[in-house]
Amino acid sequence: MRALTAILLALWAAPALGQRGGVDPREAFAQDFAAQGAEGKILRRAELACDIARCADPAGKAQLERLLRLSAGKPIRSAEVSGAWSRLRRTGLFREVRVTAAAVPGVTPPTVDLRFEAVGVVVITELNIEYADWRSAVYPRQFRSEIRKRLRFRKGGPFPPQVDGAYRPEDARDLEAQRRAIVKLYADQGYDGTSVRIEPEYAPDGQTVEVRVIVDEGRQPRFGGVLLAGNESFPYNKIVSYLSTGERAHFWPQFFDVFGIGRYDERLLKTELKAVEARYREEGWVSARVRLAGEAARDGELAYPRVRVREGPHV
């Protein structure tokens, strides 16, 4: 109840929902509602019907109904009805709110009842990220936080429902976009064969869900060696002495491969190249830059990252 009260207080103080790079959804709703022909007719009553547990509690339902802010006996204005619709949506408790106007027979002037039918969200009770490969579980190369950043749903938040085992098209597209974002996260680090599955397990009542995000990281290509260009003052061996991505990991490669050693890790290499750049500057090349230059060259399972050195003047 306290959480609901906090939501309601925030909504009463919050400004109206503005546009975000397109048609204001509240304005679109007002246009759709106007098609029902209720504009200007007298409101007899406005009622809320919803399927969540809080609506079964009279006090909780009364708090939600106060968000409607529609006065009986006054003419109906579409903008005011859309405001009520928006406030209900912004509670985060409902995934859909429908409003219907029903004429009251035998009354002059023309009078209608408004019914707000709100369908509750499916609430995520558990959100777990799991690795499909045991090596990832022992030595995960990507932090779970990086994966969570690419997910738009959170524990305690809403998750799209399924109807007859399928998502609505817009929900399916949104989940696919999140799945692709995680795959891209790994692709940007040089991984091959990454796959991601988002698997929900809905409660029998359909109001809660446990979500598993299963990540098969795939594999990073083996590190073949650095392709250096522009290093006139530092020899090859001096530069690669700063790198732990594979140049010094040829001893028992099958053993170290379990821990990711000997695999090409682009993010790690970028960090280590900064140490090379710092060494250049310490030794007098104050404007030296050491950067990856484009995508790594590939030869089968081997990756050869291209590194460009711009030493600049020595002082």
Side-chain angles (χ1 to χ4, degrees):
M1 182 61 67
R2 289 181 180 177
L4 178 58
T5 302
I7 291 173
L8 297 176
L9 289 173
L11 285 170
W12 280 84
L17 181 65
Q19 294 184 355
R20 293 185 178 181
V23 177
D24 185 336
R26 193 171 69 177
E27 291 182 2
F29 171 82
Q31 294 172 6
D32 293 339
F33 177 75
Q36 297 192 47
E39 181 77 17
K41 295 179 180 178
I42 301 301
L43 174 65
R44 184 174 72 168
R45 65 169 175 263
E47 61 178 350
L48 171 65
C50 49
D51 61 354
I52 63 175
R54 286 171 179 169
C55 288
D57 172 41
K61 184 178 180 182
Q63 285 185 310
L64 290 171
E65 286 181 328
R66 282 198 288 273
L67 292 176
L68 301 181
R69 304 182 196 172
L70 298 172
S71 300
K74 293 186 177 181
I76 293 173
R77 298 289 178 255
S78 295
E80 295 176 356
V81 176
S82 68
W85 170 86
S86 178
R87 286 187 289 274
L88 287 174
R89 291 292 302 269
R90 289 163 58 198
T91 63
L93 299 173
F94 306 109
R95 67 175 183 266
E96 184 178 354
V97 178
R98 298 184 297 269
V99 182
T100 55
V104 179
V107 177
T108 303
T111 302
V112 298
D113 292 330
L114 293 182
R115 180 179 175 86
F116 289 75
E117 297 182 71
V119 181
V121 298
V122 180
V123 177
I124 299 173
T125 56
E126 293 292 338
L127 175 58
N128 297 311
I129 297 173
E130 303 175 7
Y131 292 103
D133 187 272
W134 68 270
R135 284 170 294 198
S136 297
V138 172
Y139 184 77
R141 298 169 188 77
Q142 299 291 338
F143 296 113
R144 284 178 169 84
S145 61
E146 289 297 318
I147 296 174
R148 291 185 187 275
K149 289 177 184 177
R150 288 152 178 84
L151 297 172
R152 286 189 284 276
F153 44 84
R154 298 289 183 269
K155 183 177 179 179
F159 190 81
Q162 291 184 352
V163 179
D164 297 329
Y167 298 109
R168 295 181 299 183
E170 58 271 28
D171 292 332
R173 287 192 296 268
D174 183 56
L175 289 172
E176 176 62 13
Q178 296 177 66
R179 190 195 68 80
R180 288 177 180 269
I182 298 173
V183 172
K184 184 178 185 299
L185 165 68
Y186 282 92
D188 289 345
Q189 304 303 325
Y191 280 76
D192 295 327
T194 302
S195 66
V196 177
R197 305 193 310 275
I198 300 175
E199 297 187 352
E201 184 175 343
Y202 295 91
D205 62 7
Q207 294 189 2
T208 61
V209 64
E210 296 182 3
V211 180
R212 299 167 64 215
V213 180
I214 303 172
V215 180
D216 187 338
E217 293 187 306
R219 298 288 280 164
Q220 291 173 307
R222 292 187 182 278
F223 189 91
V226 173
L227 303 179
L228 279 173
N231 56 312
E232 298 178 0
S233 304
F234 278 21
Y236 181 91
N237 288 340
K238 182 174 183 177
I239 290 177
V240 300
S241 68
Y242 288 85
L243 310 181
S244 62
T245 52
E247 288 287 326
R248 295 172 288 155
H250 294 302
F251 177 67
W252 287 2
Q254 291 84 3
F255 172 78
F256 286 110
D257 180 65
V258 172
F259 302 99
I261 300 174
R263 295 278 171 174
Y264 173 44
D265 186 332
E266 181 177 315
R267 183 171 60 177
L268 177 59
L269 180 57
K270 286 180 178 179
T271 299
E272 293 175 338
L273 290 178
K274 291 180 181 179
V276 178
E277 182 177 282
R279 186 61 181 175
Y280 260 105
R281 297 184 179 189
E282 289 172 2
E283 296 193 18
W285 286 271
V286 294
S287 61
R289 292 173 60 87
V290 183
R291 299 287 191 273
L292 285 176
E295 295 184 0
R298 296 292 295 270
D299 180 14
E301 292 187 358
L302 297 177
Y304 297 85
R306 300 179 174 93
V307 175
R308 167 67 65 178
V309 178
R310 291 183 172 84
E311 296 181 342
H314 185 267
V315 296

